[in-house]
Amino acid sequence: PTERRMRILPSEPPIGPRGDFVTSPHVHPVFGRLVALAVRRLAGDLGDPSPLRIAEIEAHERWLADEMRRHNVDLRLGASFTGCERNGSGWRVDGVGDTAFLVGADGARSRVAKHCGLGEVRDFLYGIEYEFPGARLANPDALHCFISKRFAPGYIGWLLQNPTGIQAGLALRHDAAHARVPDIDEFLLRVGVAGGLPRLLKPGHVRAGLIPCGGPVRDIARDGAILSGDAAGIVSPVTA
């Protein structure tokens, strides 16, 4: 019988025809094309409204926006969401215009949710993640997780290998009355050796912010408005 083997995150090559699927806009512009195709299909499902307007509420990679424009998607960059109101069967978005459908993908503290009367995220983690480009863990095939009441009360710290470097993160339960920033530098000093993290690294990229952790919100959609991603409480903390 033919032996079949399936590998996750192969070491060589990490992406391409003989490796993993391309699923990140930072890896290949094909992701932008797939998004554009998805929007075109959505337009067909909605009866091909003309024009189909998409408001870019949060910051977005310019080249991905260019790919979507090339496929006839109307993007309004730099148009912060300030409010909206019902307009017949759709919505009138301040400073943008009328739309049949409104998607709130504007983060954990969603303004769209507030203005449309949709569910709001109540429970959060506060996380911070360093990325070390070009670095390699001693054991790159494992996801290293660390439990610590001191550094990560209510959640975990982590080390993982990605195709371009190392991601090191730390998150804790967010309490607005006693908020504090995770001490990731001290955390890495404590666990770096155990996790196989090379010494004397300087992070190339830093990400930080609130991460929804209470599950999907109630009233995720109504009257042609829907929440997505962090705004809906649908998120993977490791990849946020």
Side-chain angles (χ1 to χ4, degrees):
T2 302
E3 181 182 2
R4 294 186 178 182
R5 296 180 179 178
M6 181 177 68
R7 298 183 299 165
I8 299 176
L9 295 179
S11 56
E12 292 293 340
I15 59 172
R18 298 176 58 190
D20 294 334
F21 290 106
V22 176
T23 58
S24 169
H26 301 289
V27 175
H28 195 279
V30 69
F31 186 84
R33 298 190 184 105
L34 291 175
V35 172
L37 289 173
V39 172
R40 290 178 62 185
R41 180 175 296 178
L42 173 64
D45 292 342
L46 297 177
D48 291 317
S50 180
L52 174 64
R53 294 190 176 97
I54 296 179
E56 175 58 21
I57 297 171
E58 291 292 327
H60 201 38
E61 284 81 5
R62 175 67 63 179
W63 61 263
L64 178 57
D66 290 341
E67 278 295 306
M68 297 180 72
R69 278 202 181 101
R70 198 163 65 85
H71 287 80
N72 298 319
V73 175
D74 182 14
L75 293 178
R76 303 293 183 88
L77 299 177
S80 297
F81 179 86
T82 57
C84 63
E85 61 182 8
R86 290 288 286 163
N87 181 29
S89 60
W91 295 89
R92 175 161 294 168
V93 181
D94 296 350
V96 176
D98 296 337
T99 180
F101 300 92
L102 179 60
V103 179
D106 53 336
R109 300 288 194 186
S110 173
R111 293 181 182 178
V112 173
K114 293 180 183 295
H115 282 82
C116 296
L118 299 175
E120 297 181 46
V121 177
R122 304 295 182 186
D123 299 314
F124 300 94
L125 302 172
Y126 188 91
I128 182 169
E129 185 175 64
Y130 286 173
E131 187 167 340
F132 302 101
R136 189 169 180 83
L137 292 172
N139 182 2
D141 296 325
L143 170 60
H144 305 268
C145 297
F146 303 89
I147 299 174
S148 169
K149 289 184 178 180
R150 175 183 174 185
F151 293 107
Y155 200 59
I156 61 171
W158 61 91
L159 291 170
L160 63 94
Q161 187 76 49
N162 67 34
T164 61
I166 295 173
Q167 290 172 236
L170 182 65
L172 50 81
R173 179 72 68 166
H174 176 69
D175 181 353
H178 304 89
R180 66 184 179 94
V181 177
D183 189 354
I184 189 171
D185 294 314
E186 184 66 23
F187 167 72
L188 292 179
L189 286 175
R190 295 298 185 95
V191 307
V193 174
L197 184 69
R199 294 178 178 271
L200 304 177
L201 291 178
K202 292 184 178 181
H205 306 285
V206 179
R207 292 178 287 270
L210 293 176
I211 306 168
C213 65
V217 301
R218 292 188 176 184
D219 299 323
I220 199 171
R222 75 172 183 88
D223 298 330
I226 186 170
L227 301 176
S228 177
D230 284 15
I234 303 172
V235 61
S236 170
V238 173
T239 59

